Amino acid sequence: MTRTDVPSGAAPGLRELAARHALLPLRIFLGVTFVYAGLDKLTDPAFLSAGGDGSIGGLMRGVRDTSAIPALVDLALKAPVGFAVTLAIGEILVGLGVLAGLLTRIAALGGALIALSLWLTVSWAVTPYYYGNDLIYLMAWTPLILAGAPYLSLDSVIRSRRSRRTA
């Protein structure tokens, strides 16, 4: 369908609607993925242990010498299970915040910081760099940090109520 095939009144409306909701698929993907990642960590007894196959401790010790910032890994290794639980809860809160569109920019910043820390530690040595997913997640959070969730979100409901009160 070419531009001339679209009725003159329909195209701008559809384009505006698509532009308005362009970040919604990204919000849903990142939100579901982070909630899933957090729940997966919390329900995996092997992951939530200081040592052994599949443990957070084993993972951190395995990446320590190849990470960009070994001090971050050392910090996590001081209390690996506590770190894993904190990471998992952070992922769940970020995911729920973005899905609900509540404090979206703050939630997205949290997601970006989680992705950045994982990129600098766990996936730093992945080559070529585009095979590591943490850098991609870091970049994917950026539009939500910049734009928030202006539509279909609790942020927009709150903003609308505030503007009605002041009017």
Side-chain angles (χ1 to χ4, degrees):
M1 193 158 158
T2 66
R3 189 178 172 108
T4 57
D5 296 328
V6 179
S8 61
L14 290 175
R15 278 191 214 110
E16 181 182 306
L17 183 65
R20 187 179 328 155
H21 295 91
L23 292 178
L24 190 57
L26 186 61
R27 274 180 53 204
I28 292 168
F29 171 76
L30 290 171
V32 167
T33 299
F34 267 55
V35 168
Y36 177 78
L39 291 174
D40 189 47
K41 288 174 180 67
L42 288 178
T43 57
D44 184 352
F47 184 77
L48 292 177
S49 53
D53 288 341
S55 70
I56 184 67
L59 173 66
M60 291 287 109
R61 280 187 282 287
V63 300
R64 191 221 176 267
D65 293 334
T66 59
S67 72
I69 307 175
L72 280 178
V73 179
D74 292 338
L75 187 62
L77 282 170
K78 289 184 181 197
V81 175
F83 170 74
V85 170
T86 302
L87 175 62
I89 291 171
E91 287 173 334
I92 292 168
L93 291 174
V94 162
L96 291 175
V98 169
L99 283 171
L102 180 62
L103 303 172
T104 307
R105 285 186 168 122
I106 294 169
L109 180 61
L113 290 173
I114 289 170
L116 176 63
S117 65
L118 293 174
W119 177 55
L120 292 173
T121 56
V122 177
S123 61
W124 181 256
V126 174
T127 58
Y129 76 93
Y130 51 83
Y131 281 168
N133 63 352
D134 297 312
L135 179 59
I136 296 165
Y137 281 111
L138 173 60
M139 294 298 112
W141 284 113
T142 304
L144 295 176
I145 293 169
L146 296 172
Y151 299 99
L152 299 175
S153 66
L154 291 175
D155 289 343
S156 66
V157 170
I158 293 166
R159 197 171 31 258
S160 173
R161 287 187 180 170
R162 282 185 187 157
S163 67
R164 274 189 260 145
R165 278 192 217 140
T166 59

